Amino acid sequence: MAPHPDRPAAGHRSLPHTADTRIEAWAPDRERCLAEAVTGLVASFADLADLAGAPPRRGVTAHLPPAADEDLLVALLDEVIYRLEVHGELPLAAEVAAAPDGGLDVRLAMAAAEAVQAVGALPKAVSLHGLHLTRGSADGGWSCAFTVDV
């Protein structure tokens, strides 16, 4: 993903995709790119304005063991989908940090899903087709893209 002078240093966007949702995220570093991916996933089905005003329910931490970057992206997004399906929660915010063992330490501030207005179909899974997380552009930033099965 090439840098754009009018685009913020970190962010996400949804792209048209047949019957599913395609999301791109970018940031100066890998961990922030992963956190943007979480926000992009949530924005694909929940109103972010509602999310900003939703009361936090609890904090959740997770450790993702060492793996290839793309596998870490999938594991993180699967964690969010699991918590949505099983606990009826979605993250208000995500903090992602590199763990000493090469994995990731993740902190999610969770809110009740019913506190936020749905604006799209709920995610079912992350497709491995077309998935990437890479250090790319001339500015040294990171980008990722993934398709969400809905």
Side-chain angles (χ1 to χ4, degrees):
M1 185 179 310
H4 299 284
D6 57 342
R7 187 170 75 184
H12 62 271
R13 67 180 179 165
S14 292
L15 301 169
H17 192 273
T18 308
D20 293 318
T21 302
R22 181 92 175 145
I23 299 168
E24 289 182 349
W26 62 91
D29 60 69
R30 182 184 73 151
E31 290 74 20
R32 187 157 174 208
C33 184
L34 290 163
E36 284 293 337
V38 169
T39 302
L41 174 64
V42 173
S44 74
F45 65 88
D47 184 336
L48 288 183
D50 277 359
L51 194 61
R57 176 186 271 183
R58 65 188 179 116
V60 171
T61 59
H63 175 74
L64 305 179
D69 287 337
E70 288 84 6
D71 294 335
L72 290 170
L73 173 60
V74 172
L76 176 59
L77 299 173
D78 282 348
E79 180 74 18
V80 172
I81 293 169
Y82 167 79
R83 294 195 175 279
L84 178 63
E85 290 177 351
V86 173
H87 300 287
E89 299 175 322
L90 50 87
L92 295 168
E95 293 179 24
V96 180
D101 68 358
L104 295 174
D105 289 325
V106 179
R107 288 188 289 177
L108 303 171
M110 305 302 286
E114 66 266 7
V116 179
Q117 180 171 337
V119 295
L122 296 178
K124 300 295 180 206
V126 176
S127 172
L128 299 180
H129 180 72
L131 176 118
H132 80 269
L133 171 63
T134 55
R135 182 181 300 186
S137 58
D139 65 2
W142 284 75
S143 67
C144 67
F146 54 96
T147 301
V148 180
D149 298 331
V150 293

